[in-house]
Amino acid sequence: MNLTINKDEESTLVGINESRLDASIAPEFKKQMEEIIEQGNNKIILDISEITFMDSSSLGALVAVLKSMGSDGMLIISGASGVVLELFKLTRMDRIFTLVEDIDAAKEKFLANA
Amino acid sequence: MNIHKTEIKSQLSEIKSLATVFHDFSKKNGIDKDTANLMELAIVEAVNNIVIHAYAEEPDHKIYAQFEVDENQLKIILTDTGKAFEQKQQIKNTKTSLPEGNWGLDLIDSIVDQTQRYRTDKRNSFILIKQLN
């Protein structure tokens, strides 16, 4: 799967260039995200605005990523909408993850936490 | 009542094609997009379950899907010839742990109005029913 990475002073923006995040690619997604974290990126904005479908396997991969960031890491999910946002709500994972509408809102959160 | 039957191989990578068939069926039968999108999630969760648990991710089996719709309800019948459904698969996530899975069956229950499961002649059937009115 295709992840794009852009770093600035406050955070690392990871974009997912897929429309679908499901059980067939969740393990690869988790592996790539863990590699990004291992490279020292612990303030991450994950842009899922291109994702139109996500299943619980992928949500589980996201939880694993969140756990691997540790207590001094921060993960913000940007751009969840439609049934993807519903997935977070139905599983109550919207109470666990920081969800924002767009990348600007995510960057504001990092600045506020700086 | 409109009915469409299809089948896929028991591979996670095949589930996307089933979702496409379902969306085509939904569109042709005037099911609203929000309902169709949520039902896609329920179907995918159910089929993930079949691939992973009934077939232990062995790729050379088949999963049969039948979509039925009338003015009152949408019914999805998923059939496989894998291992019988085990009650222990319905593990509830505990409040004390941050779960990394086991949401599938709860998600299905949240989305649909009724589910039925039965096994006859070594075939499992999982039925999802959504009221449309």
Side-chain angles (χ1 to χ4, degrees):
Chain A
M1 65 174 305
N2 195 3
L3 300 182
T4 58
I5 301 167
N6 286 292
K7 293 181 76 158
D8 64 21
E9 286 172 4
E10 279 84 35
S11 60
T12 301
L13 173 61
V14 179
I16 305 177
N17 293 336
E18 304 278 348
S19 61
R20 206 174 168 83
L21 202 51
D22 63 15
S24 66
I25 61 172
E28 178 61 24
F29 166 70
K30 180 181 160 192
K31 179 169 168 271
Q32 289 195 32
M33 286 298 296
E34 286 173 343
E35 283 170 4
I36 291 168
I37 293 164
E38 279 164 21
Q39 288 162 15
N41 299 290
N42 72 343
K43 303 266 186 290
I44 294 177
I45 301 169
L46 182 64
D47 179 9
I48 60 171
S49 58
E50 299 292 309
I51 304 284
T52 57
F53 179 83
M54 191 166 138
D55 68 5
S56 64
S57 305
S58 305
L59 186 59
L62 264 182
V63 172
V65 166
L66 182 66
K67 285 179 179 176
S68 67
M69 294 191 77
S71 55
D72 60 346
M74 192 169 176
L75 175 66
I76 297 178
I77 312 284
S78 168
S81 66
V83 69
V84 174
L85 184 56
E86 275 308 301
L87 174 64
F88 281 95
K89 289 178 179 177
L90 287 171
T91 55
R92 297 199 173 101
M93 287 294 112
D94 58 332
R95 302 177 191 187
I96 301 297
F97 287 97
T98 303
L99 301 176
V100 298
E101 276 190 18
D102 54 38
I103 293 167
D104 287 341
K107 287 184 185 269
E108 277 175 26
K109 272 210 183 284
F110 275 121
L111 283 172
N113 279 292
Chain B
M1 175 182 289
N2 290 329
I3 297 175
H4 182 82
K5 297 183 186 182
T6 189
E7 62 184 59
I8 59 167
K9 293 180 192 171
S10 56
Q11 296 170 24
L12 293 174
S13 56
E14 289 281 297
I15 298 174
K16 180 167 63 175
S17 66
L18 181 63
T20 302
V21 171
F22 171 70
H23 275 291
D24 288 343
F25 174 82
S26 295
K27 206 170 175 183
K28 281 179 191 161
N29 288 282
I31 295 169
D32 73 89
K33 214 167 179 190
D34 288 343
T35 300
N37 287 339
L38 279 170
M39 284 304 295
E40 177 192 356
L41 179 57
I43 292 166
V44 167
E45 295 294 338
V47 178
N48 282 349
N49 222 306
I50 294 170
V51 169
I52 293 167
H53 296 293
Y55 286 135
E57 297 196 63
E58 292 170 3
D60 302 319
H61 302 286
K62 287 194 178 165
I63 300 169
Y64 305 91
Q66 180 165 310
F67 309 134
E68 298 179 6
V69 69
D70 62 26
E71 61 270 13
N72 296 315
Q73 73 177 25
L74 170 63
K75 183 191 270 190
I76 315 293
I77 305 170
L78 301 167
T79 307
D80 68 84
T81 56
K83 208 170 63 163
F85 171 71
E86 293 174 5
Q87 197 62 27
K88 70 180 179 185
Q89 290 168 22
Q90 289 181 306
I91 298 166
K92 296 284 182 182
N93 290 308
T94 64
K95 289 177 185 173
T96 55
S97 64
L98 192 55
E100 292 184 35
N102 288 325
W103 287 293
L105 295 176
D106 286 342
L107 264 173
I108 293 167
D109 286 340
S110 300
I111 292 167
V112 305
D113 295 297
Q114 191 183 344
T115 61
Q116 297 166 9
R117 292 192 102 115
Y118 57 88
R119 182 173 172 86
T120 54
D121 297 327
K122 297 183 182 176
R123 291 165 75 95
N124 301 310
S125 290
F126 190 12
I127 300 173
L128 315 178
I129 297 172
K130 180 74 176 171
Q131 299 304 321
L132 297 177
N133 293 313

